[in-house]
Amino acid sequence: MNGMASDHNTSSQDEYLPHYLQKEDPFASKLSREADIVAGFYLTVIGILSTLGNGYVIFMSSKRKKKLRPAEIMTVNLAVCDLGISVVGKPFSIISFFSHRWVFGWMGCRWYGWAGFFFGCGSLITMTAVSLDRYLKICHLSYGTWLKRHHAFICLAIIWAYATFWATVPFAGVGNYAPEPFGTSCTLDWWLAQASVAGQAFVLSILFFCLLFPTTVIVFSYVKIILKVKSSTKEVAHYDTRIQNSHILEMKLTKVAMLICAGFLIAWIPYAVVSVWSAFGQPDSVPIQFSVVPTLLAKSAAMYNPIIYQVIDCKFACCRSGGLKTPRRKSSLNKSR
């Protein structure tokens, strides 16, 4: 505790003391033992399904790694990020929930917070890259055909560097990782914004570069895709009635885009709202029992991403192979598009 207190200046402590610097044990669970057990079982199921799903994606992709297209390479990277969250992060929180307290101390708390933010940021930026790739290939065909495999690997390097930078910034003295109010998990120290102007600048930077900006790009990309799909299918249907199967393909693409957007928003926006309120709202006004729900919901994102990217895309591929049988017909479709 004394080590953590030294990370904050004296004047900030006089004005506001976050929950983890108050007299009570910051790592003791503030939930009932029954609630911790339920949360532990929930995370165990999520962790197993996520590990199996993302592991399967990576294994199947490794069999054809030399044939992967740029968008597929990005999808594999998303699976790697989600698998990292499941393997590196979830065991810490599962053990702590079942133990009714965080059992790994401050070092474990900082490691857990760093790993969760690192892989979470990597996952979000990868989704941003996927959305841009699909936007360019559907709405700007000249750029879409220009994107090659080596561009995808350059993009991967940028994604990992971006995630590493923002996850490591708190260790440079401008931020920190701290236990959640309910005690059995750790996250970014959102409560620094209550203590100083520097803390507010840190939190605002994280929110913009690691949430608002990527989310805006994702929403913009998929909205443009949906509009493009609707307009193109109407035009094609007007000129040629032989391409009904292409309508099915476009609808599949639209559904994938909507599911990706909805999945991201459902998983992360509630957690973001609670985090922003903790940072800039009335101090300690978020009920502890309420704060745990968005955290558990956000941790489920790694589970259903493989379903969105693999199961729906598999149906899309089956529909494509069943509907477009001849090269001549495929060529006519490309021209009409």
Side-chain angles (χ1 to χ4, degrees):
M1 287 292 293
N2 293 332
M4 276 300 300
S6 63
D7 293 339
H8 299 271
N9 57 60
T10 304
S11 60
S12 296
Q13 290 183 15
D14 293 339
E15 296 176 2
Y16 171 74
L17 274 180
H19 62 277
Y20 55 84
L21 289 180
Q22 296 173 6
K23 294 181 179 180
E24 59 184 16
D25 184 359
F27 295 132
S29 176
K30 309 307 185 294
L31 305 174
S32 66
R33 185 170 294 275
E34 293 76 13
D36 277 336
I37 292 175
V38 171
F41 274 115
Y42 168 82
L43 288 180
T44 300
V45 173
I46 294 296
I48 292 174
L49 293 177
S50 175
T51 301
L52 293 176
N54 290 291
Y56 176 78
V57 171
I58 296 171
F59 173 74
M60 294 302 295
S61 299
S62 66
K63 288 186 169 184
R64 48 187 299 269
K65 56 185 177 182
K66 294 183 179 180
K67 298 181 179 179
L68 293 176
R69 294 169 295 178
E72 294 174 320
I73 294 174
M74 293 294 102
T75 301
V76 174
N77 192 63
L78 178 62
V80 171
C81 293
D82 292 339
L83 184 64
I85 294 175
S86 301
V87 174
V88 177
K90 283 188 173 62
F92 284 79
S93 55
I94 291 172
I95 293 173
S96 296
F97 273 116
F98 282 126
S99 301
H100 198 50
R101 65 174 287 110
W102 180 262
V103 297
F104 302 100
W106 279 109
M107 290 298 294
C109 181
R110 290 185 175 115
W111 160 252
Y112 176 85
W114 180 90
F117 185 52
F118 172 72
F119 288 113
C121 182
S123 178
L124 177 57
I125 302 304
T126 301
M127 291 179 66
T128 306
V130 171
S131 68
L132 283 174
D133 174 79
R134 296 187 177 184
Y135 166 72
L136 291 175
K137 287 189 175 180
I138 293 175
C139 300
H140 300 280
L141 295 179
S142 59
Y143 292 100
T145 56
W146 173 77
L147 294 172
K148 304 298 180 183
R149 279 172 57 94
H150 66 277
H151 296 117
F153 289 114
I154 294 174
C155 186
L156 288 184
I158 296 174
I159 290 171
W160 289 110
Y162 193 93
T164 300
F165 173 79
W166 286 108
T168 310
V169 159
F171 294 129
V174 296
N176 212 333
Y177 294 99
E180 299 267 16
F182 50 87
T184 48
S185 181
C186 294
T187 184
L188 278 168
D189 193 347
W190 303 105
W191 303 271
L192 284 175
Q194 298 280 358
S196 65
V197 176
Q200 293 177 1
F202 163 72
V203 171
L204 287 173
S205 299
I206 291 292
L207 287 173
F208 178 79
F209 289 104
C210 300
L211 180 64
L212 295 179
F213 177 68
T215 302
T216 301
V217 173
I218 290 172
V219 172
F220 168 81
S221 298
Y222 286 122
V223 167
K224 295 293 287 186
I225 288 173
I226 291 173
L227 295 176
K228 184 69 174 180
V229 167
K230 288 184 178 180
S231 62
S232 63
T233 52
K234 289 180 180 179
E235 292 174 2
V236 170
H238 178 75
Y239 289 107
D240 193 344
T241 59
R242 297 175 301 170
I243 55 157
Q244 295 180 357
N245 287 320
S246 109
H247 289 219
I248 300 176
L249 299 181
E250 303 295 359
M251 289 304 298
K252 289 288 184 182
L253 181 60
T254 304
K255 291 178 181 178
V256 171
M258 293 177 65
L259 283 173
I260 292 170
C261 292
F264 169 75
L265 293 175
I266 291 173
W268 286 104
I269 294 303
Y271 179 78
V273 170
V274 172
S275 298
V276 171
W277 185 259
S278 298
F280 299 102
Q282 189 68 22
D284 303 322
S285 60
V286 179
I288 293 178
Q289 292 76 8
F290 178 77
S291 66
V292 69
V293 176
T295 302
L296 296 178
L297 183 61
K299 293 179 185 297
S300 68
M303 177 189 67
Y304 54 73
N305 276 339
I307 299 175
I308 295 175
Y309 280 99
Q310 293 301 120
V311 176
I312 303 299
D313 283 350
C314 179
K315 292 181 180 179
F316 181 86
C318 291
C319 176
R320 179 174 56 191
S321 62
L324 307 179
K325 295 182 179 179
T326 64
R328 183 177 180 181
R329 188 171 184 179
K330 183 176 181 180
S331 176
S332 67
L333 286 177
N334 290 334
K335 291 180 180 179
S336 62
R337 286 176 184 170

